């Protein structure tokens, strides 16, 4: 099905190439050349996904992502970053980007990444397993993509939601970062700090004390494990 994609980049050559590849993939595309234009475009052209360059004139990509997360928390964001700027990639993930692609990039790879993010952001009625997952005051409605903790709604990004649902469905099992990258992101390879950042952000939203987590535990030398409420555990 066609999706509406907002592409935000101040380089017209990059924007045009991305637009052409996305349109060939069947999507509707709108372009924005700076942060202010992007924020206005989201209100006028509610997209299903935004492709956002980190380096923008005026309001930079990090601040645009922050504002998008505050106003449209469920909007998937794929960030474009400079090659080798790991700190910038991590910062982009910290403020809520769902994925990133480094420049210079293959337009075909970008389209495949966008497909992956859109597929995971789509209603998940076809997924196997219970429609609602519950654990000690925490509930995740898989079809509606809504999470509540002690009756309060939580604002999770698409990837945070996917990660939480995967862990809820596979409790008490240690997963390496590489395994989570493959199972949740669909990547056979990639920067494993992506997983670390999303675990940190998820802990900040579902743990009473993120510094001493009781749900998403660190398994030293392996990765992470989800422990259901009421299970005796060591802090990690």
């Amino acid at each position: 099905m066609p999706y509406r994609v907002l592409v935000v980049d101040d380089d017209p050559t990059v924007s045009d190439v991305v637009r052409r590849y996305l349109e060939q993939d069947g999507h509707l595309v709108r372009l924005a050349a700076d942060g202010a234009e992007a924020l206005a475009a989201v209100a006028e052209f509610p997209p299903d996904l935004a492709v956002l360059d980190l380096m923008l004139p005026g309001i930079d990509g990090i601040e645009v992502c922050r504002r998008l997360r505050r106003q449209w928390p469920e909007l998937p964001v794929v960030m474009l970053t400079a090659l080798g700027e790991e700190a910038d990639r991590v910062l982009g993930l910290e403020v809520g980007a769902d994925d990133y692609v480094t420049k210079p990039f293959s337009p075909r790879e970008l389209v495949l990444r966008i497909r992956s993010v859109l597929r995971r952001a789509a209603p998940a009625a076809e997924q196997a397993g219970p429609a609602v997952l519950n654990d000690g005051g925490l509930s995740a409605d898989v079809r509606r993509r809504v999470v509540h903790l002690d009756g309060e709604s939580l604002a999770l990004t698409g990837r945070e939601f996917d990660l939480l649902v995967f862990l809820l469905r596979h409790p008490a099992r240690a997963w390496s970062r590489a395994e989570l990258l493959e199972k949740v992101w669909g990547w056979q390879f990639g920067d494993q700090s992506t997983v670390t950042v999303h675990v940190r952000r998820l802990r900040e939203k579902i743990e009473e004390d993120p510094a001493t987590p009781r749900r998403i535990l660190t398994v030293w030398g392996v990765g992470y494990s989800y422990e259901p409420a009421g299970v005796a555990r060591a802090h990690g």
Side-chain angles (χ1 to χ4, degrees):
M1 64 174 290
Y3 289 94
R4 296 157 66 95
V5 181
L6 174 65
V7 177
V8 189
D9 197 303
D10 62 327
D11 185 331
T13 301
V14 172
S15 293
D16 186 59
V17 169
V18 173
R19 176 188 58 78
R20 286 190 289 108
Y21 270 80
L22 286 171
E23 288 179 346
Q24 289 171 10
D25 205 43
H27 305 303
L28 305 174
V29 181
R30 175 158 176 175
L31 304 181
D34 58 43
E37 187 179 348
L39 294 170
V42 171
E44 298 170 3
F45 175 88
D48 298 299
L49 180 142
V51 178
L52 179 61
D53 187 29
L54 182 68
M55 303 299 294
L56 293 172
I59 307 172
D60 65 23
I62 292 296
E63 181 58 27
V64 171
C65 192
R66 285 196 182 100
R67 296 187 190 186
L68 291 177
R69 279 287 160 256
R70 287 197 296 267
Q71 298 181 54
W72 297 277
E74 296 182 2
L75 174 65
V77 176
V78 175
M79 188 162 280
L80 304 179
T81 69
L83 182 63
E85 298 296 332
E86 180 179 355
D88 289 338
R89 294 199 301 273
V90 171
L91 181 56
L93 294 169
E94 288 279 12
V95 298
D98 295 277
D99 202 347
Y100 68 87
V101 175
T102 56
K103 292 182 174 181
F105 58 84
S106 158
R108 184 60 180 165
E109 178 191 356
L110 176 60
V111 169
L112 292 175
R113 290 288 188 94
I114 288 171
R115 282 186 191 173
S116 174
V117 173
L118 287 169
R119 183 171 60 250
R120 291 181 177 277
E126 71 280 3
Q127 294 187 17
V132 179
L133 304 167
N134 294 287
D135 179 51
L138 179 68
S139 69
D141 187 319
V142 179
R143 292 185 172 87
R144 296 175 56 225
R145 296 183 70 83
V146 173
V147 175
H148 288 86
L149 179 61
D150 298 329
E152 297 292 327
S153 178
L154 300 183
L156 269 59
T157 69
R159 290 296 193 192
E160 289 166 0
F161 181 88
D162 294 335
L163 177 59
L164 177 60
V165 166
F166 180 81
L167 292 172
L168 283 169
R169 282 178 166 163
H170 304 88
R173 193 262 204 215
W175 297 93
S176 70
R177 290 170 179 82
E179 287 174 322
L180 290 173
L181 203 60
E182 179 178 356
K183 298 291 186 180
V184 178
W185 277 259
W187 301 357
Q188 297 293 326
F189 58 89
D191 185 352
Q192 294 183 17
S193 66
T194 299
V195 176
T196 305
V197 170
H198 279 77
V199 166
R200 183 186 311 135
R201 287 176 53 84
L202 194 52
R203 281 172 168 168
E204 290 170 355
K205 297 178 180 182
I206 71 170
E207 299 282 5
E208 183 176 349
D209 178 6
T212 310
R214 297 183 60 80
R215 294 180 186 272
I216 304 177
L217 306 186
T218 298
V219 181
W220 299 109
V222 181
Y224 302 102
S225 173
Y226 186 90
E227 292 299 328
V231 174
R233 69 201 65 168
H235 300 319

